[in-house]
Amino acid sequence: MAERPKPLNGLRHLALAVYPFEECIRFYTEILGMEVLRKASDNLIYLSCGNDNLSLSRAYEPQENHNQSLDHFGFIVDSKEELQAWFVFLKAKGVPLLDTPHDHSDGARSFHCTDPAGNVVQPIYHPAISGQRLR
């Protein structure tokens, strides 16, 4: 029987098919501040915010969310104050906000918004992982 290898080193890549493609690129680069790593084609782009890699591929029509089980994904911030600053900034930019910053029972604090494709994005401060840096 095969033994499990050493533990995984994090979830640092997410691939999304998005519609509208160009609006999503603008959201993740101009609003969230991600950098373009590589434009593989007119239909595929790779973005990064340092430790993570987000792949956006062009969907040609709005996605039927009932065919997938992705509820949301999060971006880590380093403090509760930074989380509040993101909330104020996204609100000022007219990003659809689903709730306000709120505390979790484990000491985390977060809120939720949507990207132009309707994906739910969760900026989150989490004491167990906020502030971590890759070596």
Side-chain angles (χ1 to χ4, degrees), residues 77-87 109 125:
V77 300
D78 289 333
S79 69
K80 290 182 179 182
E81 294 78 18
E82 189 176 323
L83 181 80
Q84 184 64 32
W86 272 106
F87 179 78
R109 185 171 177 82
Y125 163 77

Side-chain angles (χ1 to χ4, degrees), residues 2 7 11-13 17-18 28 33 35-36 42-43 48 51 53-54 65 67 69 77 91 94 107 118 123 125 129:
L11 175 66
R12 293 194 180 94
H13 174 71
V18 294
Y28 287 102
E35 295 179 17
V36 175
D42 289 339
N43 299 314
S48 179
N51 296 334
N53 178 268
L54 176 64
N65 288 336
N67 291 331
S69 57
V77 300
K91 185 175 183 177
Y125 163 77
I129 55 178

Side-chain angles (χ1 to χ4, degrees), residues 57-69:
S57 63
R58 183 184 305 272
Y60 290 95
E61 57 188 38
Q63 300 296 297
E64 295 292 331
N65 288 336
H66 68 274
N67 291 331
Q68 63 169 306
S69 57

Side-chain angles (χ1 to χ4, degrees), residues 20-118:
F21 184 65
E22 285 80 10
E23 286 182 39
C24 287
I25 292 171
R26 281 191 294 280
F27 173 79
Y28 287 102
T29 58
E30 295 174 16
I31 302 292
L32 293 189
M34 297 186 84
E35 295 179 17
V36 175
L37 286 179
R38 182 169 77 95
K39 185 175 179 184
S41 71
D42 289 339
N43 299 314
L44 180 62
I45 193 165
Y46 294 93
L47 308 174
S48 179
C49 60
N51 296 334
D52 300 306
N53 178 268
L54 176 64
S55 168
L56 300 179
S57 63
R58 183 184 305 272
Y60 290 95
E61 57 188 38
Q63 300 296 297
E64 295 292 331
N65 288 336
H66 68 274
N67 291 331
Q68 63 169 306
S69 57
L70 177 67
D71 180 69
H72 70 277
F73 57 94
F75 286 100
I76 301 297
V77 300
D78 289 333
S79 69
K80 290 182 179 182
E81 294 78 18
E82 189 176 323
L83 181 80
Q84 184 64 32
W86 272 106
F87 179 78
V88 170
F89 175 76
L90 294 174
K91 185 175 183 177
K93 290 293 188 178
V95 172
L97 301 168
L98 302 179
D99 54 13
T100 59
H102 57 278
D103 292 323
H104 302 231
S105 62
D106 60 358
R109 185 171 177 82
S110 72
F111 66 92
H112 300 82
C113 63
T114 59
D115 72 9

